[in-house]
Amino acid sequence: MRASARVSSLERLVLDLVRAPEQLDAVLDALPASMSLSLGLIDGRNIWRADLDAAHAVLRRAVTALGAERVMVGPSCSLLHVPVDLDAEQRLDTDLKRWLAFAAQKLDELRALADAAGSATPSGAQFEDTRIALAGRRSSPRTYNPAVRGRTGAVTEAMRRRSSPFPVRAPKQRARFGLPSFPTTTIGSFPQTTDVRGARAAWRAGRMSEEDYDTFLKAEMRKCIERQEKIGLDVLVHGEFERNDMVEYFGEQLDGFAFTENGWVQSYGSRCVKPPVLFGDVARQRAITVAWSTSAQALTERPMKGMLTGPVTILQWSFVRDDQPRSETCAQLALALRDEVADLEAAGISMIQVDEPAIREGLPLRRRDWNAYLRWAVDAFRLATSSVRDETQIHTHMCYSEFGDILDAIAEMDADVLSIETSRSRMELLGDFARFQYPNAIGPGVYDIHSPRVPTQGEMVDLLTRAAQVLPMDQLWVNPDCGLKTRGWPEVEAALTHMVEAAKVVRAKLGHARQPPA
Ligand code: GLN
Ligand code: ZN
């Protein structure tokens, strides 16, 4: 948007001053007279209302240095990453709504800035309104919970460390579970059929009672557990039928989150997501998953994995508050999950999986910033998972591959078992793990869940044999690449049956019928 009606230059430089405000001075000094400058002053990646006075001060510096003709204002990047229009939200409370700006509101902000480019002291409704809204946000008790602050301030290094290292934990876990070598399991979700999605929609719309919905979900869970037993899996899951989405489900039960009705943004291709808005201090008022996990465990003798989404993934897949460092918000999430992990363990759940598929995509653009990010991201995972006894087994799962350059961080997460996506690359990724001598157990995915094709037993035997060539056998688990929620039951049952058969073949072939007792 033009700060002046007369833009005469032929060339223009656009700066992202949200991510790199420090670039402005250097550019103002060096910009050739033939060029104009576009100031990316409105955050195109987040949904918060801009501090118009601060943006205006930057704009004025540029206008003073270059003259209004050479200055434009715009968003820091395309508005593709934000929802379209806040006015379409009927259910967000008015307080919170005043703190937000979606794409349409960001255009209004730009208009106000451009119109005020010529004035040293901006006034007008847009500026006034913003000042009141931002002051309200800063002082709101909804963004600041003293109990939460007290806890994050009191986190110690010891809280992020398991009581014993993996070589001490592993034999204790082996003795507790008595699993065969190459134990078989899945990543967590089972098919979210039309029935499951239909029931959820009916319940949300008030057409199905809470009680009926609960009965329906429990019946789905029971069928899912029976099927897993019949297939012969060693470690079971409850199926995640009660979850709409792995982040929204947790956000809905934590303080500090809000949800839009229409805040869709593109994920990739034609797939869209509706990220929750993480606006305030995060606290857990009550257990989230314990009832599901314990009622699932009651239906089987085999170990039932508790299933949580990790702190980094919840952070990464939400619109996150911009009034404090992400590391601080992540630590709050980690503490809430730590309580959930402790409750699961106390309720008798012996294996707990904390999914972190988004850990790699959180990496900053510049390599020199990687370490700082990885430090707090790994710390958050450890804070969430380290309170458990040696005998309690922590699993984690990550989907998107290419871990080669962050393997030390992944090892530092110190999960007992890590399941990863490897089948599409035909186990290529495992070379990195072998070279690095990844110390804990790994379940390299042997079944590509992104396609409806049912892999044969032979293919999976082949993949497992390759894995066993590069990694110690007693370190290996057998599982699909990712959750099965997008698949149909017939193909899932067939593929998992082949997978369990493949594990048996490999056990026999490699003469490793049972893991040695501790
Ligand atoms: N537990 C989740 C599932 O099985 C993990 C999903 C993911 O990795 N994105 O669906
Ligand atoms: Zn996955």
Side-chain angles (χ1 to χ4, degrees), residues 123-152:
S123 55
Q126 182 89 11
F127 278 85
E128 291 302 327
D129 212 45
T130 300
R131 284 173 200 138
I132 298 167
L134 294 193
R137 182 177 168 204
R138 268 191 292 270
S139 61
S140 167
R142 299 177 67 193
T143 58
Y144 189 91
N145 174 337
V148 172
R149 300 298 166 134
R151 279 191 83 190
T152 46

Side-chain angles (χ1 to χ4, degrees), residues 368-386:
R368 65 165 185 267
D369 301 327
W370 281 19
N371 279 347
Y373 161 76
L374 288 170
R375 183 70 272 144
W376 62 253
V378 169
D379 276 356
F381 181 86
R382 293 173 63 120
L383 182 58
T385 54
S386 292

